[in-house]
Amino acid sequence: MSRLVSALQFSAGPRTLLRRFLRVPLRLQTYANLLYLSVQFPLGITYAVALPLGFGLGIGLSVILVGLPILVVTLLGVRELTALERYAADRLLVVDVHAGEADVPSLADPVDHLKHTLTSLSTWKGVVFLLSKVLVGTAAFTLLVFLGAVSLSLLLVPLYYRSVNVGVRPVSGEVNAEPSVEFALQTWEIGLTIPFRLTTWYVTTLPEALAVSAFGLVATLVSLHVCNVAARAAGWYASLLVGGTDRSAIRRIVDA
């Protein structure tokens, strides 16, 4: 899915930038990005378990020939999953993850198709991409949980501030400081001391809770923008590794 970002976006005025910042929850692309990021972790865990298991059994049992079919099925599965990943990134994200135009032998010619599977760079790029999904998924999961927890906890403060202590507390407890500045001019000395105390503050009234909730709304908007940037980075990574890889063999049969 090719979407070109206009150079006008980078030269927009403050009012236009503010409008884009506030409209992020109204864009369908935001939720497509969140959907893509949210499935990365379970998919990454699945690939991290299934692929080593398939290759391990295939290689380990190949000495008695039983492992060869397992190895072939694993490689064919990698190619189909790579095509599915490329399609998902192309459809959901603001990237162009196009399929390759190579002439791939049909499954009706199993010998040539298997030879192409073993020698094609698309297969091994897919292996690397699928195995690396566990790292991408872990990063996406951590980001979503952290941003979601912080944003929602601030946004929903008016609902629970009476039953839970909500506030700010210095890590080392109450802090007292008296920074001072002294100036010497010939026989005169001028000193300026500003004492201050940093202590714990709790939300105790509804206006304070609403103020924190307003800050949580801003944090939510910022979090959505951060997720959009993360999804764009994930799309760039997908484009780098699986862009131009072979089309799905099953899809070619269905479309024929």
Side-chain angles (χ1 to χ4, degrees):
M1 181 183 297
S2 178
R3 300 183 182 92
L4 297 179
V5 180
S6 168
L8 185 59
Q9 290 181 319
F10 300 99
S11 60
R15 184 176 299 179
T16 302
L17 293 177
L18 178 61
R19 189 182 304 118
R20 288 178 186 150
F21 176 79
L22 296 176
R23 287 182 178 178
V24 64
L26 304 179
R27 301 191 194 110
L28 291 178
Q29 185 59 53
T30 299
Y31 300 98
N33 291 341
L34 291 175
L35 174 62
Y36 185 84
L37 292 176
S38 64
V39 300
Q40 297 306 294
F41 185 67
L43 287 178
I45 294 296
T46 302
Y47 298 152
V49 172
L51 266 63
L53 181 63
F55 284 121
L57 288 176
I59 295 173
L61 297 177
S62 61
V63 293
I64 57 174
L65 302 181
V66 177
L68 294 179
I70 299 176
L71 195 57
V72 169
V73 169
T74 302
L75 287 174
L76 293 178
V78 165
R79 290 175 60 82
E80 293 304 313
L81 290 172
T82 300
L84 180 61
E85 287 284 348
R86 186 191 63 247
Y87 180 82
D90 186 66
R91 292 297 178 182
L92 291 176
L93 304 179
V94 190
V95 290
D96 184 8
V97 191
H98 60 87
E101 301 297 334
D103 186 15
V104 181
S106 171
L107 286 175
D109 189 354
V111 176
D112 287 345
H113 188 83
L114 179 59
K115 186 184 299 183
H116 177 80
T117 298
L118 293 173
T119 59
S120 174
L121 183 61
S122 296
T123 303
W124 306 110
K125 287 172 67 176
V127 171
V128 173
F129 179 76
L130 295 180
L131 289 177
S132 67
K133 289 281 281 188
V134 67
L135 300 178
V136 176
T138 301
F141 177 78
T142 303
L143 181 70
L144 290 175
V145 170
F146 174 75
L147 294 179
V150 171
S151 299
L152 288 178
S153 63
L154 293 174
L155 194 62
L156 301 179
V157 162
L159 300 180
Y160 62 83
Y161 77 96
R162 293 183 183 274
S163 57
V164 178
N165 287 332
V166 180
V168 179
R169 182 179 184 276
V171 177
S172 58
E174 186 174 296
V175 178
N176 293 284
E178 294 184 0
S180 61
V181 179
E182 294 183 355
F183 300 93
L185 182 61
Q186 295 180 354
T187 59
W188 291 86
E189 289 187 359
I190 300 175
L192 176 63
T193 302
I194 305 177
F196 72 90
R197 182 178 64 179
L198 184 61
T199 186
T200 303
W201 171 76
Y202 289 111
V203 176
T204 57
T205 64
L206 182 59
E208 291 177 345
L210 292 175
V212 174
S213 182
F215 180 77
L217 178 60
V218 176
T220 301
L221 296 177
V222 172
S223 298
L224 291 177
H225 281 285
V226 171
C227 289
N228 284 341
V229 173
R232 186 180 291 272
W236 173 83
Y237 179 67
S239 177
L240 180 66
L241 276 186
V242 299
T245 52
D246 295 335
R247 298 178 183 274
S248 167
I250 297 177
R251 181 68 179 271
R252 288 197 304 270
I253 294 175
V254 173
D255 293 341

